[in-house]
Each structure stands twice: as C-alpha cells, then as structure tokens.
Amino acid sequence: MTDILKFYSLSEIDYRHKYPLIEKIKYFAKGILLYFVLQICALLLMFLVDEFLIKKIGFPSVFKLMIESQKKIKGYYGFFLVVILGPLVEELIFRLILVPKRRNITIFTFVFSFLVLNKTYYLIEIDWLLLVSLAVSGLLSFLVFKLLKRNPKIETAIGKRQKIITMVSVVLFGLLHIANIENLHWELALLYPVYALPQMILGYVSSVQRLKLGFVWGLLFHSMINLMAFLR
C-alpha cells in the first residue's frame, strides 16, 4: 500500500522518467485498486450527507437523482459518448496540458475554444456554427503556437506551477460533473461538491497516470472506469 501511495503522490513528479511496460501495467493496476478504495470512502460520505443533511432539510436524495441520470445513458451511441468520445475530450481538456509543452498547449487551446464556441462536442450535423468554431479555434491555436515559439519562457513558467495546475484541474473536472445531476437546487450548492468527489478521485488518479505513465494510460484508465459505470 505504501508503494501505491508513494507513486500516486504529487510530491515527486518527473514526467520525463521512462517506466518499463511491465512497471506501467503494475502501477496502472494499482491505480484501479486505489480508485476503488477511495470511491468507497467517497460513497460513504455521500450517503451520510444524503441521509442526515439533504433529506433532513426536505430535499430529494441527490444520490438517487445521480443514479437515475446515469440510467438514461444507454445504447450504442451512449456507449460511444461515455466510454470513447467523452473521456478523450475530457482528457484533452483537463490532462493533456499538465505536461506544458508547446504542442500540448496548442491542442488544448484548439479543443477548449472549439467547445466554448460550438457549445458541445457532439458533431450531429455540419452547419455554419461548426465551421466558424473550427476556423476560429484553428486560428487561436495557431496564434498560441507562434506565441509560445517566440516566448519559450511561458512554457517554463507554466511548468513551475504544475502541481497547482494539476489540483485545479482535478477540482474543476469534478465540479463540471455536478451538471449531470438532474433538478439542481441552488440551495444545496455548498453540498454538491461532495457528490463530485467520485469524479475528483477519477481525475486525480488519471492525472498522476498521465504525468508519470503517459497520456494514453490516463485516457485508458478514464475509459475503463466509465465502462464499468456504463455496464453497471
């Protein structure tokens, strides 16, 4: 257990260190174990908040609302969104930039600006909004690439704040998923972050894997966890 905690700590980050494949598989498997141990703790806390706070003040169970929302996602298209497309987009947004290389920052800029402009990553049809979003996002990412090429100190400055950026990314990733809860009540705004703990745990483990094992491993972990949730 000590080995797991040491590896999945942000105290020693060296994304340039190359692990042998067998070591990557070992730490990946240990990450899954750590994830489920932490998830049990998070679910217990969510249950206590649900029973002794949410229901006591007269609101419906937030935990049940979350379960009902998840059940509505089904079918082949649901599988594609939850297990493949969703994790890919979220990893590009929240994890790729954790290694602040020029290429990664440029890709992040393109994906983030496209999502902001197009308001979704579902490419249902080709329309003017999609084309404008692609054009503007492409231009912005090109400008960012040129800026970073002329000012490499920006990459260095971002790299020095890697731990802070990682923790901010983890928290934002979790809070983003509060939107998955149906019938949000703003009176419960201070309690909702408790229900985002499972996603924060996923985000943390995935972030460490991305930093120490590589982007593909963090994406694989994210997709695997989502697959388990989808098949549940």
Side-chain angles (χ1 to χ4, degrees):
M1 192 65 181
T2 304
D3 184 39
I4 301 178
L5 296 178
K6 182 179 179 180
F7 181 84
Y8 282 95
S9 167
L10 291 177
S11 59
E12 299 179 7
I13 298 177
D14 183 8
Y15 57 82
R16 296 177 182 85
H17 179 77
K18 302 299 182 182
Y19 291 91
L21 179 59
I22 189 66
E23 287 288 300
K24 289 185 176 183
I25 295 174
K26 180 181 72 173
Y27 284 122
F28 180 82
K30 289 182 177 180
I32 295 175
L33 174 62
L34 177 63
Y35 170 81
F36 282 111
V37 170
L38 294 176
Q39 281 289 48
I40 292 173
C41 298
L43 289 173
L44 177 60
L45 180 59
M46 290 164 60
F47 173 78
L48 293 175
V49 170
D50 222 54
E51 289 295 321
F52 297 102
L53 285 176
I54 302 294
K55 291 183 180 179
K56 292 295 182 181
I57 57 180
F59 287 93
S61 169
V62 176
F63 190 74
K64 288 184 178 180
L65 289 175
M66 292 174 61
I67 299 298
E68 290 173 2
S69 297
Q70 292 177 358
K71 288 182 178 179
K72 292 182 178 180
I73 304 174
K74 52 188 177 180
Y76 292 113
Y77 189 58
F79 175 87
F80 174 71
L81 292 179
V82 172
V83 181
I84 301 175
L85 183 59
L88 176 59
V89 172
E90 290 176 351
E91 291 300 309
L92 289 174
I93 289 291
F94 291 99
R95 250 71 73 181
L96 183 67
I97 200 174
L98 298 184
V99 177
K101 295 181 179 179
R102 187 188 312 154
R103 176 195 61 190
N104 297 343
I105 298 174
T106 301
I107 294 174
F108 164 81
T109 302
F110 178 83
V111 177
F112 181 77
S113 57
F114 175 77
L115 290 179
V116 171
L117 294 170
N118 198 53
K119 299 180 181 179
T120 181
Y121 52 76
Y122 307 151
L123 303 181
I124 300 176
E125 61 180 354
I126 299 177
D127 55 14
W128 68 268
L129 178 59
L130 172 63
L131 297 176
V132 170
S133 300
L134 287 171
V136 174
S137 300
L139 177 61
L140 285 175
S141 58
F142 175 76
L143 293 175
V144 167
F145 181 84
K146 287 295 184 180
L147 175 65
L148 293 174
K149 189 175 182 179
R150 292 179 181 178
N151 300 277
K153 291 183 179 179
I154 297 177
E155 291 180 53
T156 304
I158 296 175
K160 290 180 179 179
R161 295 165 177 79
Q162 190 176 54
K163 293 180 183 179
I164 296 175
I165 293 173
T166 299
M167 292 312 301
V168 170
S169 170
V170 168
V171 172
L172 290 178
F173 174 74
L175 295 179
L176 177 70
H177 288 79
I178 292 177
N180 293 340
I181 302 174
E182 288 190 347
N183 303 318
L184 287 171
H185 299 280
W186 293 110
E187 298 90 336
L188 304 176
L190 295 178
L191 296 175
Y192 280 141
V194 173
Y195 296 91
L197 284 176
Q199 284 76 27
M200 291 185 190
I201 293 170
L202 188 157
Y204 180 83
V205 176
S206 181
S207 294
V208 175
Q209 291 184 349
R210 186 272 177 276
L211 288 169
K212 296 188 177 183
L213 303 180
F215 178 81
V216 173
W217 291 90
L219 173 60
L220 179 61
F221 175 79
H222 191 163
S223 295
M224 183 177 294
I225 296 301
N226 279 19
L227 175 62
M228 293 178 185
F230 183 83
L231 296 176
R232 184 173 57 194

